[in-house]
Amino acid sequence: MPSIIMGVETSCDETGVGLVRLHDDGTVELLADEVASSVEEHARFGGVVPEVASRAHLEAMAPTVRRAFQSAGLELSDVDAVAVTVGPGLAGALLVGVAAAKAYAAALDVPLYGVNHLAGHIAVDTLEHGPLPSPCLALLVSGGHTQLLRVDHIASKITEIGSTVDDAAGEAYDKVARLLGLPYPGGPPIDKAAKSGDAQAITFPRGMTGPRDAKFDFSFSGLKTAVARWVEAAESRGEQVPVADVAASFQEAVADVLTAKAVRAATESGIGTLVISGGVAANSRLSALARQRCAEAGIELRVPRPRLCTDNGAMIAALGAHVVAAGCAPSAMDLSANPALPVSTVSL
C-alpha cells in the first residue's frame, strides 16, 4: 500500500501542496502543508479573476512543491502516489493542477488519483481528529459552496442533503464586506469588525426558515439584499453606518441559520458527529454558536484548525490517502478536470 501521498490543490486562488503518510492502520499523518495564495492579485477586482488565478498557479506550482518537500524532509523519490483536485472549481485553475500532478506521477512512475475538492474539505479533519465516525454529518461552508452532507464513507459515499439555492455563505460575506467598505475577501474583516459590534442591534432575515421552505437548504441572497437596503437607508438619512453593528448582526444571521439547520439535520438523522469545514468554518461566531448548540443537543463537534479550513494541498493528500486505503483504482493518465464535479463523486 502506498505510504507517502502528495496532494495538489488548484481549484481557485490558492496553490496548495501537501504531503501525508498513510499508516498501516489506516490513520493519516500530516507531513507538510504549503500554500501560495494569489488573493492579493484579485483584491482590487473584488473577487477571483479566473485567468489571473490560472497564471498564478502556473508560477507558484514548482516553488510550492519545493517548499513542501523541504518542510517534510523528503525527496520526490519518496512519493508513492499523487492526488489532485479535479473539481469542482475554476476550469483553467484546475487544469494547471491536473497537468502538474500528471507530470509528477508520470515522472515518478506512481499512481495518480483525481479527487473531489469538496470531499477534501471533509477529509482534512482526519489529520487533526482521527478517523471519521460512520455516518457523520458535514457542514461545508466556503466562498463557493454551502452544503449539508451525510458522510457514510469519506472515500466512496457522500450524499448531499441540503445546499444553498443562491449565494454561498462566503459569497455573502464578500458582498456585505464591499457594502461596508471592508477589504476582500470579506470573511476575516467582517469577523474582526463584529467583535466590537452588537449582534442584536439589527434583526436581519434568516433565509429558508419558513414552514414551506426545504428544511436543509440555504439562501443568503435575501440577507445580502437586506443588508444593502439597510445601509442605503441609513446613508440616505445622512447617518453614519455603524459598521461593527451591521457586521455583527449580519454574521449572527448567517451563523444562526447554518448551525440551526446542521444540528437539526444531525438530530433528525440520528447522527452523533458534526464536522464543519471550508473557509467560513474559521469564523469565530460560527464555531462558537456551533459549539453551544452541539453541546445542548449532545452532538460531537469537529472543526479543523483555521489553516486547514481554507483551501490547501494537505486536504487533497488526506483524501487521496483515504481513497488509496479504500482500495480504489487509480485514475487514468488521460484524466481531465471537471469544474462541475458533484460531491457524490469522490474520485475519478
Side-chain angles (χ1 to χ4, degrees):
M1 179 184 295
S3 175
I4 304 296
I5 315 295
M6 173 183 173
V8 177
E9 156 62 25
T10 62
S11 66
C12 192
D13 58 349
E14 271 91 25
T15 307
V17 177
L19 292 164
V20 302
R21 186 187 305 277
L22 173 61
H23 293 280
D24 291 340
D25 62 358
T27 58
V28 184
E29 175 190 1
L30 178 61
L31 302 178
D33 175 28
E34 293 294 330
V35 175
S37 177
S38 61
V39 65
E40 291 184 3
E41 298 178 47
H42 305 284
R44 65 191 178 98
F45 301 106
V48 176
V49 180
E51 292 81 1
V52 173
S54 300
R55 172 61 64 177
H57 288 309
L58 189 61
E59 295 173 350
M61 181 59 66
T64 308
V65 169
R66 284 196 294 270
R67 291 202 311 274
F69 280 89
Q70 289 169 358
S71 175
L74 295 173
E75 301 293 335
L76 274 168
S77 57
D78 294 318
V79 171
D80 297 300
V82 178
V84 61
T85 299
V86 291
L90 302 174
L94 289 167
L95 286 171
V96 175
V98 171
K102 285 182 181 181
Y104 282 112
L108 299 171
D109 193 24
V110 298
L112 173 70
Y113 293 87
V115 299
N116 191 298
H117 172 82
L118 304 179
H121 273 302
I122 305 169
V124 76
D125 183 73
T126 65
L127 297 176
E128 191 161 358
H129 300 119
L132 291 169
S134 180
C136 69
L137 189 73
L139 172 62
L140 176 58
V141 276
S142 66
H145 303 276
T146 302
Q147 295 171 294
L148 272 173
L149 307 167
R150 178 188 170 106
V151 183
D152 288 284
H153 194 290
I154 188 59
S156 59
K157 190 175 182 183
I158 300 177
T159 307
E160 181 185 287
I161 62 173
S163 66
T164 182
V165 298
D166 42 55
D167 289 349
E171 287 179 282
Y173 267 90
D174 291 340
K175 292 173 181 177
V176 169
R178 190 180 310 152
L179 288 169
L180 299 177
L182 297 174
Y184 171 88
I190 285 182
D191 197 8
K192 182 178 180 180
K195 293 183 188 301
S196 59
D198 179 4
Q200 308 305 319
I202 309 161
T203 303
F204 286 127
R206 272 63 168 164
M208 298 290 288
T209 55
R212 296 184 180 180
D213 293 320
K215 283 195 299 184
F216 303 131
D217 282 343
F218 303 94
S219 172
F220 296 105
S221 180
L223 170 59
K224 170 205 66 182
T225 301
V227 175
R229 296 291 173 266
W230 196 96
V231 170
E232 289 170 3
E235 291 176 337
S236 69
R237 295 191 298 268
E239 300 173 0
Q240 183 175 355
V241 175
V243 172
D245 286 348
V246 174
S249 299
F250 161 76
Q251 182 162 272
E252 188 67 21
V254 174
D256 183 19
V257 172
L258 289 173
T259 56
K261 292 205 172 198
V263 169
R264 181 180 180 183
T267 302
E268 292 190 6
S269 303
I271 294 175
T273 300
L274 172 65
V275 178
I276 302 181
S277 57
V280 182
N283 178 267
S284 64
R285 182 53 184 156
L286 175 60
S287 58
L289 190 56
R291 282 195 298 272
Q292 174 190 327
R293 288 180 168 172
C294 283
E296 292 170 352
I299 295 169
E300 177 195 14
L301 176 65
R302 294 169 50 148
V303 184
R305 60 183 179 271
R307 180 179 172 87
L308 295 180
C309 287
T310 52
D311 291 352
N312 59 78
M315 71 187 207
I316 301 306
L319 179 57
H322 290 293
V323 168
V324 168
C328 300
S331 304
M333 288 303 287
D334 63 355
L335 174 72
S336 186
N338 182 347
L341 188 69
V343 69
S344 56
T345 303
V346 178
S347 62
L348 288 177

mmCIF file of all heavy atoms in Angstrom, residues 179-204:
data_model
loop_
_atom_site.group_PDB
_atom_site.id
_atom_site.type_symbol
_atom_site.label_atom_id
_atom_site.label_comp_id
_atom_site.label_asym_id
_atom_site.label_seq_id
_atom_site.Cartn_x
_atom_site.Cartn_y
_atom_site.Cartn_z
ATOM 1 N N LEU A 179 -20.082 46.313 0.704
ATOM 2 C CA LEU A 179 -21.063 47.329 1.088
ATOM 3 C C LEU A 179 -20.564 48.177 2.255
ATOM 4 O O LEU A 179 -20.857 49.373 2.343
ATOM 5 C CB LEU A 179 -22.382 46.657 1.495
ATOM 6 C CG LEU A 179 -23.245 46.044 0.399
ATOM 7 C CD1 LEU A 179 -24.353 45.199 1.013
ATOM 8 C CD2 LEU A 179 -23.849 47.150 -0.467
ATOM 9 N N LEU A 180 -19.814 47.538 3.152
ATOM 10 C CA LEU A 180 -19.345 48.219 4.357
ATOM 11 C C LEU A 180 -17.971 48.850 4.183
ATOM 12 O O LEU A 180 -17.411 49.389 5.149
ATOM 13 C CB LEU A 180 -19.320 47.225 5.528
ATOM 14 C CG LEU A 180 -20.672 46.610 5.919
ATOM 15 C CD1 LEU A 180 -20.495 45.586 7.045
ATOM 16 C CD2 LEU A 180 -21.648 47.707 6.342
ATOM 17 N N GLY A 181 -17.420 48.769 2.970
ATOM 18 C CA GLY A 181 -16.111 49.349 2.728
ATOM 19 C C GLY A 181 -14.977 48.548 3.337
ATOM 20 O O GLY A 181 -13.891 49.093 3.595
ATOM 21 N N LEU A 182 -15.202 47.252 3.543
ATOM 22 C CA LEU A 182 -14.176 46.382 4.108
ATOM 23 C C LEU A 182 -13.465 45.625 2.988
ATOM 24 O O LEU A 182 -14.030 45.425 1.915
ATOM 25 C CB LEU A 182 -14.812 45.394 5.102
ATOM 26 C CG LEU A 182 -15.476 46.038 6.328
ATOM 27 C CD1 LEU A 182 -16.196 44.985 7.159
ATOM 28 C CD2 LEU A 182 -14.445 46.774 7.176
ATOM 29 N N PRO A 183 -12.246 45.203 3.214
ATOM 30 C CA PRO A 183 -11.465 44.575 2.136
ATOM 31 C C PRO A 183 -11.939 43.178 1.762
ATOM 32 O O PRO A 183 -12.682 42.529 2.500
ATOM 33 C CB PRO A 183 -10.040 44.532 2.707
ATOM 34 C CG PRO A 183 -10.216 44.583 4.185
ATOM 35 C CD PRO A 183 -11.446 45.406 4.433
ATOM 36 N N TYR A 184 -11.474 42.741 0.600
ATOM 37 C CA TYR A 184 -11.723 41.383 0.091
ATOM 38 C C TYR A 184 -10.519 40.506 0.444
ATOM 39 O O TYR A 184 -9.388 40.979 0.385
ATOM 40 C CB TYR A 184 -11.904 41.426 -1.431
ATOM 41 C CG TYR A 184 -11.952 40.062 -2.080
ATOM 42 C CD1 TYR A 184 -13.150 39.382 -2.205
ATOM 43 C CD2 TYR A 184 -10.783 39.449 -2.542
ATOM 44 C CE1 TYR A 184 -13.185 38.118 -2.788
ATOM 45 C CE2 TYR A 184 -10.816 38.199 -3.118
ATOM 46 C CZ TYR A 184 -12.018 37.534 -3.230
ATOM 47 O OH TYR A 184 -12.051 36.293 -3.786
ATOM 48 N N PRO A 185 -10.758 39.237 0.798
ATOM 49 C CA PRO A 185 -12.044 38.566 0.996
ATOM 50 C C PRO A 185 -12.728 39.024 2.281
ATOM 51 O O PRO A 185 -12.057 39.423 3.235
ATOM 52 C CB PRO A 185 -11.659 37.093 1.045
ATOM 53 C CG PRO A 185 -10.253 37.080 1.532
ATOM 54 C CD PRO A 185 -9.609 38.309 0.969
ATOM 55 N N GLY A 186 -14.056 38.955 2.283
ATOM 56 C CA GLY A 186 -14.820 39.606 3.341
ATOM 57 C C GLY A 186 -14.912 38.898 4.666
ATOM 58 O O GLY A 186 -15.250 39.530 5.680
ATOM 59 N N GLY A 187 -14.640 37.585 4.708
ATOM 60 C CA GLY A 187 -14.817 36.838 5.950
ATOM 61 C C GLY A 187 -14.028 37.375 7.140
ATOM 62 O O GLY A 187 -14.614 37.760 8.164
ATOM 63 N N PRO A 188 -12.701 37.418 7.052
ATOM 64 C CA PRO A 188 -11.910 37.887 8.203
ATOM 65 C C PRO A 188 -12.216 39.317 8.637
ATOM 66 O O PRO A 188 -12.368 39.561 9.845
ATOM 67 C CB PRO A 188 -10.462 37.719 7.706
ATOM 68 C CG PRO A 188 -10.543 36.619 6.700
ATOM 69 C CD PRO A 188 -11.843 36.832 6.004
ATOM 70 N N PRO A 189 -12.331 40.304 7.718
ATOM 71 C CA PRO A 189 -12.621 41.658 8.194
ATOM 72 C C PRO A 189 -14.000 41.809 8.830
ATOM 73 O O PRO A 189 -14.160 42.578 9.779
ATOM 74 C CB PRO A 189 -12.485 42.537 6.942
ATOM 75 C CG PRO A 189 -12.504 41.609 5.788
ATOM 76 C CD PRO A 189 -11.985 40.308 6.277
ATOM 77 N N ILE A 190 -15.001 41.083 8.326
ATOM 78 C CA ILE A 190 -16.319 41.141 8.962
ATOM 79 C C ILE A 190 -16.259 40.510 10.348
ATOM 80 O O ILE A 190 -16.810 41.049 11.318
ATOM 81 C CB ILE A 190 -17.386 40.454 8.087
ATOM 82 C CG1 ILE A 190 -17.749 41.352 6.902
ATOM 83 C CG2 ILE A 190 -18.642 40.135 8.906
ATOM 84 C CD1 ILE A 190 -18.830 40.803 6.001
ATOM 85 N N ASP A 191 -15.577 39.380 10.460
ATOM 86 C CA ASP A 191 -15.430 38.718 11.755
ATOM 87 C C ASP A 191 -14.736 39.650 12.752
ATOM 88 O O ASP A 191 -15.149 39.774 13.916
ATOM 89 C CB ASP A 191 -14.615 37.431 11.579
ATOM 90 C CG ASP A 191 -14.761 36.477 12.754
ATOM 91 O OD1 ASP A 191 -15.610 36.733 13.634
ATOM 92 O OD2 ASP A 191 -14.026 35.479 12.789
ATOM 93 N N LYS A 192 -13.708 40.341 12.302
ATOM 94 C CA LYS A 192 -12.965 41.263 13.170
ATOM 95 C C LYS A 192 -13.834 42.447 13.575
ATOM 96 O O LYS A 192 -13.881 42.829 14.760
ATOM 97 C CB LYS A 192 -11.712 41.756 12.449
ATOM 98 C CG LYS A 192 -10.849 42.682 13.287
ATOM 99 C CD LYS A 192 -9.589 43.104 12.523
ATOM 100 C CE LYS A 192 -8.726 44.036 13.364
ATOM 101 N NZ LYS A 192 -7.496 44.444 12.617
ATOM 102 N N ALA A 193 -14.544 43.032 12.617
ATOM 103 C CA ALA A 193 -15.413 44.180 12.928
ATOM 104 C C ALA A 193 -16.537 43.785 13.868
ATOM 105 O O ALA A 193 -16.928 44.554 14.756
ATOM 106 C CB ALA A 193 -15.987 44.757 11.633
ATOM 107 N N ALA A 194 -17.057 42.569 13.703
ATOM 108 C CA ALA A 194 -18.191 42.115 14.508
ATOM 109 C C ALA A 194 -17.857 41.982 15.993
ATOM 110 O O ALA A 194 -18.743 42.070 16.844
ATOM 111 C CB ALA A 194 -18.700 40.782 13.977
ATOM 112 N N LYS A 195 -16.596 41.784 16.298
ATOM 113 C CA LYS A 195 -16.196 41.591 17.698
ATOM 114 C C LYS A 195 -16.509 42.817 18.560
ATOM 115 O O LYS A 195 -16.725 42.690 19.765
ATOM 116 C CB LYS A 195 -14.715 41.238 17.785
ATOM 117 C CG LYS A 195 -14.366 39.881 17.188
ATOM 118 C CD LYS A 195 -12.895 39.541 17.350
ATOM 119 C CE LYS A 195 -12.514 38.272 16.583
ATOM 120 N NZ LYS A 195 -13.276 37.095 17.020
ATOM 121 N N SER A 196 -16.528 44.010 17.949
ATOM 122 C CA SER A 196 -16.839 45.220 18.713
ATOM 123 C C SER A 196 -18.266 45.703 18.455
ATOM 124 O O SER A 196 -18.636 46.818 18.856
ATOM 125 C CB SER A 196 -15.840 46.338 18.358
ATOM 126 O OG SER A 196 -15.887 46.640 16.975
ATOM 127 N N GLY A 197 -19.074 44.879 17.792
ATOM 128 C CA GLY A 197 -20.442 45.268 17.459
ATOM 129 C C GLY A 197 -21.475 44.541 18.293
ATOM 130 O O GLY A 197 -21.165 43.610 19.048
ATOM 131 N N ASP A 198 -22.719 44.941 18.132
ATOM 132 C CA ASP A 198 -23.858 44.337 18.831
ATOM 133 C C ASP A 198 -24.621 43.467 17.837
ATOM 134 O O ASP A 198 -25.241 43.967 16.898
ATOM 135 C CB ASP A 198 -24.768 45.438 19.381
ATOM 136 C CG ASP A 198 -26.000 44.891 20.097
ATOM 137 O OD1 ASP A 198 -26.110 43.653 20.228
ATOM 138 O OD2 ASP A 198 -26.860 45.701 20.506
ATOM 139 N N ALA A 199 -24.588 42.172 18.072
ATOM 140 C CA ALA A 199 -25.232 41.232 17.149
ATOM 141 C C ALA A 199 -26.749 41.335 17.177
ATOM 142 O O ALA A 199 -27.427 40.816 16.283
ATOM 143 C CB ALA A 199 -24.795 39.805 17.477
ATOM 144 N N GLN A 200 -27.293 42.000 18.204
ATOM 145 C CA GLN A 200 -28.754 42.154 18.306
ATOM 146 C C GLN A 200 -29.207 43.538 17.862
ATOM 147 O O GLN A 200 -30.391 43.857 17.964
ATOM 148 C CB GLN A 200 -29.184 41.910 19.762
ATOM 149 C CG GLN A 200 -28.673 40.615 20.372
ATOM 150 C CD GLN A 200 -29.030 39.385 19.561
ATOM 151 O OE1 GLN A 200 -30.147 39.281 19.061
ATOM 152 N NE2 GLN A 200 -28.090 38.455 19.435
ATOM 153 N N ALA A 201 -28.288 44.340 17.372
ATOM 154 C CA ALA A 201 -28.641 45.717 17.010
ATOM 155 C C ALA A 201 -29.625 45.778 15.854
ATOM 156 O O ALA A 201 -30.512 46.639 15.815
ATOM 157 C CB ALA A 201 -27.365 46.491 16.661
ATOM 158 N N ILE A 202 -29.479 44.879 14.893
ATOM 159 C CA ILE A 202 -30.330 44.873 13.706
ATOM 160 C C ILE A 202 -30.818 43.448 13.478
ATOM 161 O O ILE A 202 -30.022 42.507 13.499
ATOM 162 C CB ILE A 202 -29.550 45.351 12.461
ATOM 163 C CG1 ILE A 202 -28.842 46.672 12.743
ATOM 164 C CG2 ILE A 202 -30.483 45.474 11.254
ATOM 165 C CD1 ILE A 202 -27.723 46.976 11.770
ATOM 166 N N THR A 203 -32.104 43.299 13.253
ATOM 167 C CA THR A 203 -32.658 41.970 13.001
ATOM 168 C C THR A 203 -32.725 41.732 11.497
ATOM 169 O O THR A 203 -33.650 42.195 10.822
ATOM 170 C CB THR A 203 -34.055 41.824 13.625
ATOM 171 O OG1 THR A 203 -33.983 42.095 15.026
ATOM 172 C CG2 THR A 203 -34.583 40.405 13.413
ATOM 173 N N PHE A 204 -31.736 41.038 10.985
ATOM 174 C CA PHE A 204 -31.725 40.713 9.566
ATOM 175 C C PHE A 204 -32.460 39.385 9.342
ATOM 176 O O PHE A 204 -32.522 38.538 10.244
ATOM 177 C CB PHE A 204 -30.294 40.613 9.054
ATOM 178 C CG PHE A 204 -29.606 41.946 8.901
ATOM 179 C CD1 PHE A 204 -28.382 42.178 9.493
ATOM 180 C CD2 PHE A 204 -30.198 42.968 8.168
ATOM 181 C CE1 PHE A 204 -27.745 43.401 9.356
ATOM 182 C CE2 PHE A 204 -29.580 44.194 8.028
ATOM 183 C CZ PHE A 204 -28.353 44.429 8.618
#
